[in-house]
Amino acid sequence: QQQVKQSPQSLIVQKGGISIINCAYENTAFDYFPWYQQFPGKGPALLIAIRPDVSEKKEGRFTISFNKSAKQFSLHIMDSQPGDSATYFCAASQNSGGSNYKLTFGKGTLLTVNP
Amino acid sequence: DTGVSQDPRHKITKRGQNVTFRCDPISEHNRLYWYRQTLGQGPEFLTYFQNEAQLEKSRLLSDRFSAERPKGSFSTLEIQRTEQGDSAMYLCASSLAQLTLTDTQYFGPGTRLTVL
């Protein structure tokens, strides 16, 4: 059972455009939702994260929108740049023993930003 | 570079052989995680240590897999009697436990295992 569903699988955007990646989750106990960016040959790196007590979080060109009732969250990359070309993973975790330690990842979205 | 390091970066082995991977976390981090990532998939949680104690193991971690973190520093992941289905990228991550905030997991570059 896939607990975090991510779409699209791949995305091609022109430089300066907006990239949007969507995720949906099933486990209502999830209470931490990070996005990770992974370049070829590298491990995933945390990009931005949100908790369900807010509906939106913005850091620079990256914004997470969160819809608790729909159990969905999305990543928006404004003014996309060729350097943003990477694989993006959404993830979720629930608090267990006072810690959100076990991340459940989506399958990833390969983003290509054309110059 | 003071990030998470993993060794080796690549390992090719024959089916039935044993392999061991090493992870060196960020020095002050007390939590360490192992994940497995197959092609076209996101990382899947395998196990988690707080200091030297292994606190959770995924059902993905069969009896052929064993992880240790002696003295709460580096960690090793051993796979015995490797199978072709073990071929994957094995990722290690570490974090610093914080009382009020969710700790960020920092990932290493991974060890890519190919079982022939």
Side-chain angles (χ1 to χ4, degrees):
Chain A
Q1 181 184 12
Q2 187 183 355
Q3 294 198 54
V4 179
K5 294 183 179 180
Q6 184 171 347
S7 64
Q9 188 174 354
S10 63
L11 179 62
I12 299 174
V13 174
Q14 291 300 117
K15 178 182 176 181
I18 302 173
S19 304
I20 301 174
I21 305 170
N22 301 300
C23 283
Y25 62 97
E26 298 168 3
N27 186 348
T28 54
F30 285 151
D31 61 356
Y32 174 66
F33 302 90
W35 284 90
Y36 279 80
Q37 179 188 56
Q38 186 175 29
F39 292 104
K42 303 285 188 181
L46 178 67
L47 196 59
I48 186 172
I50 197 169
R51 286 198 172 273
D53 52 344
V54 296
S55 60
E56 185 174 284
K57 182 174 181 180
K58 183 176 181 179
E59 290 184 1
R61 297 185 294 109
F62 301 93
T63 300
I64 299 179
S65 296
F66 185 83
N67 185 329
K68 187 175 181 179
S69 61
K71 294 187 288 185
Q72 295 175 347
F73 58 110
S74 60
L75 175 70
H76 295 233
I77 306 175
M78 310 299 289
D79 187 26
S80 299
Q81 299 296 312
D84 296 331
S85 297
T87 300
Y88 291 81
F89 293 97
C90 62
S93 70
Q94 66 183 81
N95 190 294
S96 177
S99 173
N100 289 73
Y101 61 85
K102 184 164 65 178
L103 294 173
T104 299
F105 284 84
K107 289 190 174 184
T109 296
L110 178 61
L111 171 65
T112 301
V113 181
N114 288 328
Chain B
D1 190 334
T2 57
V4 177
S5 61
Q6 293 187 244
D7 183 70
R9 294 292 308 277
H10 304 274
K11 178 71 177 178
I12 300 174
T13 191
K14 293 182 179 179
R15 188 177 54 184
Q17 297 295 304
N18 299 343
V19 295
T20 300
F21 310 140
R22 177 180 171 121
C23 170
D24 286 274
I26 294 172
S27 59
E28 67 270 23
H29 285 186
N30 54 356
R31 289 179 174 165
L32 187 145
Y33 316 78
W34 285 98
Y35 289 82
R36 181 172 67 188
Q37 185 176 22
T38 54
L39 198 61
Q41 303 292 320
E44 296 174 292
F45 174 85
L46 292 179
T47 190
Y48 152 66
F49 290 84
Q50 174 135 343
N51 300 312
E52 66 276 6
Q54 187 174 19
L55 298 185
E56 184 168 339
K57 293 170 60 175
S58 165
R59 57 182 171 77
L60 294 174
L61 215 63
S62 75
D63 291 344
R64 297 184 296 105
F65 289 71
S66 62
E68 296 182 343
R69 193 185 182 197
K71 303 179 183 178
S73 56
F74 71 93
S75 175
T76 58
L77 177 67
E78 180 183 16
I79 309 174
Q80 295 182 329
R81 306 180 303 283
T82 52
E83 302 172 355
Q84 288 184 326
D86 297 332
S87 295
M89 176 77 82
Y90 290 84
L91 292 164
C92 175
S94 70
S95 70
L96 178 64
Q98 301 183 69
L99 292 178
T100 59
L101 298 174
T102 299
D103 44 314
T104 298
Q105 295 185 28
Y106 295 86
F107 283 81
T111 294
R112 181 167 294 284
L113 172 66
T114 302
V115 181
L116 302 177

